[in-house]
Amino acid sequence: MPFLNSSNPKLQMLLLAVSSIALPSGLAAAPQISNVVLSATGDVVIEGTGFGGGPTVAIHDDFSTARIESGSVSLSPQVGQWLIGNSSSQSIVIDQKYQSKSLFVRGSGSSLFVFGIPDSTAPQGLRTFQEVYMSYTIRDFGDFPGTGGTPTSFSTQSATKDAWMMLGDRGDNTQYAVSQGEASGHDLYIPGWTGTGFNIAGNNTRMEPSFWQGRLTENWDFGGWNTNMFHAELNPSNPYGKAEGFFSFINENGYYSNVRNGNFMEDQRDEGVPYASWDRIKFFAWMNEGDANVRRVVDEIYVALGRNANARLLVTDNEKLGNSTRAFHLSPISWSGSEIVASFPDYLPDDNSYFVHVIDANNVASQGIGLCQRCPIAPEIFPVQ
């Protein structure tokens, strides 16, 4: 299979075509990448088949444009805007291997990021949604949060709710919110450290059955990058019943996806919450640091809403998604069944190999295609005249 030479002088990226993948009969065909080129503007153009419909990305912030001046942090997401982007980070962390920027969420300053899209017609002033895909990447340079937490062991107390989705600003406390005249609820922390394991649940939302993330507990990468990914899709005709979705993670210990078989929302109409939807996600809104020396950073936050929210484009460090240890999302500019155009980050160094993966809305992934920067170009051979 020949290398394809990009005309982009910035990266001079050579990209290897991937042959089609045979799947057992009866299974949905996986997306297949046939060609990838890097355009003169620095965008990635991916051609192939079976990509399906693409997502509507609501916010994507890899903090590559974050600036700290005189103790004040300026944020400029690649897509969308923060409802609240409150960061007092004292420094920007730059990963030596990937050259990506990270911000402290606790230790050396703190951060709170709240995602929501203003909508004056919505119950709480923010656009509601019943389908969402989100991802965020975190790393501890100190102890794991919570009393007794160390650089290599968890706290024995409830300590983290790094992503907290809800309806209304106090969706975590329906009784209080309703007493103040606001119909707020339906909270889900994704996931929370409970003291005994990672769990997805809520202060007001009971999961039937429970949705513990035992594999993440067993394979947490202490001191390393942990990318958490989550998809929830409610059934509009029965939003409190069985839903579609999953929780997955990628870190140095591997990749795993846990498909949901149960609800994501509980009926709170009798408590004064008649709306079966969410309207915001709070990132790093709650942490119980205890006596731990916490120095946690965030590297990338990505949220897509609505139909095909979990269709996504990942760049990882391995041809097989299951063997990947680090992942970055790309923001699609356009997406059709046979072509995707996406922005490509310029912070990936020239001495590593990366692979792009198309994952469709059915959560079926393509084989990775190698992105080889500064690969040697083979000499051109002409026939003897």
Side-chain angles (χ1 to χ4, degrees):
M1 294 177 288
F3 281 104
L4 300 175
N5 191 4
S6 166
S7 61
N8 186 327
K10 181 180 178 182
L11 294 179
Q12 298 179 348
M13 184 174 288
L14 304 175
L15 305 119
L16 185 63
V18 173
S19 60
S20 61
I21 305 170
L23 293 178
S25 60
L27 295 180
Q32 298 178 22
I33 302 174
S34 60
N35 189 29
V36 179
V37 296
L38 193 65
S39 71
T41 59
D43 297 329
V44 175
V45 181
I46 303 168
E47 299 172 341
T49 60
F51 297 159
T56 299
V57 180
I59 194 163
H60 183 195
D61 198 341
D62 62 12
F63 306 107
S64 61
T65 55
R67 299 288 184 271
I68 298 179
E69 297 179 358
S70 303
S72 177
V73 179
S74 173
L75 299 173
S76 299
Q78 285 65 54
V79 178
Q81 296 293 326
W82 289 111
L83 184 67
I84 298 175
N86 182 6
S87 179
S88 62
S89 291
Q90 303 301 308
S91 61
I92 292 176
V93 179
I94 299 179
D95 184 65
Q96 292 183 351
K97 182 176 181 181
Y98 297 98
Q99 301 301 303
S100 58
K101 289 184 178 179
S102 307
L103 290 180
F104 279 95
V105 295
R106 291 293 190 280
S108 190
S110 63
S111 299
L112 167 66
F113 307 101
V114 180
F115 162 75
I117 301 174
D119 181 351
S120 60
T121 67
Q124 302 288 351
L126 296 179
R127 183 185 304 173
T128 59
F129 52 89
Q130 291 186 320
E131 181 174 3
V132 59
Y133 169 85
M134 74 173 78
S135 175
Y136 61 94
T137 298
I138 54 178
R139 181 176 183 178
D140 289 315
F141 286 94
D143 296 336
F144 188 89
T147 296
T150 75
T152 58
S153 62
F154 296 114
S155 169
T156 56
Q157 298 181 349
S158 178
T160 64
K161 295 174 181 176
D162 291 321
W164 208 345
M165 185 165 68
M166 59 189 67
L167 173 71
D169 185 58
R170 289 310 308 269
D172 60 308
N173 191 332
T174 292
Q175 184 176 3
Y176 171 78
V178 171
S179 73
Q180 301 299 306
E182 295 186 3
S184 300
H186 302 316
D187 68 311
L188 280 178
Y189 40 82
I190 307 162
W193 176 255
T194 67
T196 59
F198 287 105
N199 191 25
I200 294 176
N203 292 357
N204 301 289
T205 304
R206 290 172 295 189
M207 305 289 274
E208 297 290 343
S210 61
F211 201 32
W212 289 90
Q213 305 304 319
R215 288 292 188 94
L216 183 62
T217 303
E218 297 166 3
N219 293 282
W220 182 260
D221 185 14
F222 289 97
W225 296 108
N226 294 272
T227 297
N228 293 334
M229 296 164 281
F230 172 78
H231 174 237
E233 179 181 354
L234 302 181
N235 180 349
S237 63
N238 183 22
Y240 309 115
K242 184 177 179 180
E244 300 292 330
F246 63 85
F247 174 81
S248 61
F249 66 87
I250 290 178
N251 61 29
E252 189 68 31
N253 297 321
Y255 166 81
Y256 181 75
S257 184
N258 186 12
V259 176
R260 178 61 177 155
N261 183 22
N263 69 316
F264 278 124
M265 185 171 287
E266 186 177 356
D267 190 345
Q268 291 190 269
R269 286 176 290 187
D270 289 344
E271 300 173 60
V273 186
Y275 313 108
S277 56
W278 304 286
D279 69 356
R280 71 198 68 199
I281 308 170
K282 300 179 180 181
F283 293 93
F284 312 108
W286 184 84
M287 181 181 293
N288 177 17
E289 297 182 56
D291 62 6
N293 177 24
V294 179
R295 301 186 74 235
R296 174 164 288 192
V297 301
V298 58
D299 183 29
E300 181 187 53
I301 299 177
Y302 172 104
V303 178
L305 299 179
R307 187 178 181 183
N308 303 322
N310 64 313
R312 56 206 184 274
L313 197 60
L314 294 182
V315 171
T316 79
D317 57 355
N318 197 281
E319 182 178 7
K320 295 182 179 181
L321 191 61
N323 293 336
S324 299
T325 67
R326 189 77 164 93
F328 300 89
H329 287 72
L330 302 186
S331 297
I333 299 169
S334 63
W335 186 306
S336 73
S338 59
E339 181 183 271
I340 301 171
V341 180
S343 301
F344 191 80
D346 60 5
Y347 49 75
L348 296 178
D350 288 345
D351 57 353
N352 287 280
S353 294
Y354 305 93
F355 301 83
V356 63
H357 307 259
V358 176
I359 305 174
D360 67 17
N362 295 316
N363 210 33
V364 180
S366 71
Q367 182 175 331
I369 183 170
L371 307 181
C372 183
Q373 301 175 25
R374 296 188 177 180
C375 286
I377 301 175
E380 193 169 359
I381 299 175
F382 298 93
V384 177
Q385 300 295 327

